[in-house]
Amino acid sequence: MTAPSYRWIDYRSPDLAPPEDMVVILPVGSTEQHGRHMPVGTDIHLAEAVALEAAAQATIPVRVLPPVWISLAEHHMDRPGTLTLDMATLDALITGIAKALDRQKVKRLLLLNSHGGNRNALPVIADKLTRDLTMNVAYSTYWETAMAELTPLLEGQKMLHHACEAETSMILHLKPETVAMEKLADADVPATVPPQGLHLWRPFSAMTESGAYGRPDLASAEKGAKMIETAGKVVGAKLSDPANWRY
């Protein structure tokens, strides 16, 4: 390797004997509709990009596994292109990966999430794995971990939504050829929002006709580059602090 690489699959076997403080990141994305203007692989690309940036920003060794490309997207299944797992299958998939890493003497694993539909499931899985294995398994949804730092970068919304100003900006930076710029005007601001303090499952189409939620018309590649750098810096700092791995 002539340039620094953080991808697990780019290393030779002897180079992956983990030092005690090494963190392995498993990016967890999703294959699902992202409105009329965004690719269905958006969450996969974003999970990996933030993970690689976090690895570059960290002050300890970090390796990034290939992203999980399918997860819990039942709420998008009424739109073409979406794929989903059930909870038991996602649990089995991540548990299998974690058990293999545990056998390889990895002591620290981060499940780095980029998909809203996983925000309830992944912390439960992480807790179970930390209890059952010999390593610590942490969980982060990148935009929640870096919310305070990302919010000032947005012009038309206060947080990341879906196929929105934030996600569109980041994909414009990473894979601009996949964004249909002429469709940005078709994205609507949802007429309904979930009630606060009461969880009730509903398809995403109940909130937005276009499949987008937010202001993608305000997106830019420059903004996206800054958001990925910022999120990676925050996550990398969290990984590098030994206090975050004690219990």
Side-chain angles (χ1 to χ4, degrees), residues 208-228:
T208 165
E209 188 277 328
S210 72
Y213 187 152
R215 293 292 307 277
D217 55 306
L218 297 176
S220 72
E222 295 75 18
K223 191 182 299 181
K226 185 63 176 176
M227 293 190 73
I228 291 170

Side-chain angles (χ1 to χ4, degrees), residues 154-174:
L154 297 171
E155 299 175 73
Q157 47 188 84
K158 294 182 179 180
M159 60 181 292
L160 187 143
H161 295 303
H162 186 77
C164 59
E165 178 186 357
E167 287 194 327
T168 304
S169 292
M170 289 184 282
I171 293 297
L172 280 173
H173 168 62
L174 294 171

Side-chain angles (χ1 to χ4, degrees), residues 1-80:
M1 294 176 292
T2 58
S5 175
Y6 303 101
R7 290 183 171 90
W8 181 278
I9 59 175
D10 288 343
Y11 285 82
R12 294 176 290 273
S13 174
D15 299 323
L16 286 168
E20 189 73 20
D21 63 343
M22 187 175 85
V23 176
V24 174
I25 301 178
L26 177 61
V28 184
S30 178
T31 299
E32 65 185 43
Q33 74 83 26
H34 271 76
R36 301 183 182 104
H37 66 288
M38 294 271 278
V40 296
T42 290
D43 289 348
I44 305 167
H45 300 312
L46 297 185
E48 183 176 44
V50 174
L52 291 171
E53 185 65 30
Q57 298 273 1
T59 58
I60 58 172
V62 177
R63 302 292 176 259
V64 179
L65 292 169
V68 172
W69 59 270
I70 181 171
S71 53
L72 303 181
E74 182 63 39
H75 53 307
H76 292 289
M77 280 297 291
D78 59 354
R79 301 293 176 102

Side-chain angles (χ1 to χ4, degrees), residues 137-160:
V137 181
Y139 156 80
S140 165
T141 290
Y142 75 86
W143 72 83
E144 293 178 336
T145 300
M147 182 70 70
E149 293 82 3
L150 292 175
T151 296
L153 303 178
L154 297 171
E155 299 175 73
Q157 47 188 84
K158 294 182 179 180
M159 60 181 292
L160 187 143

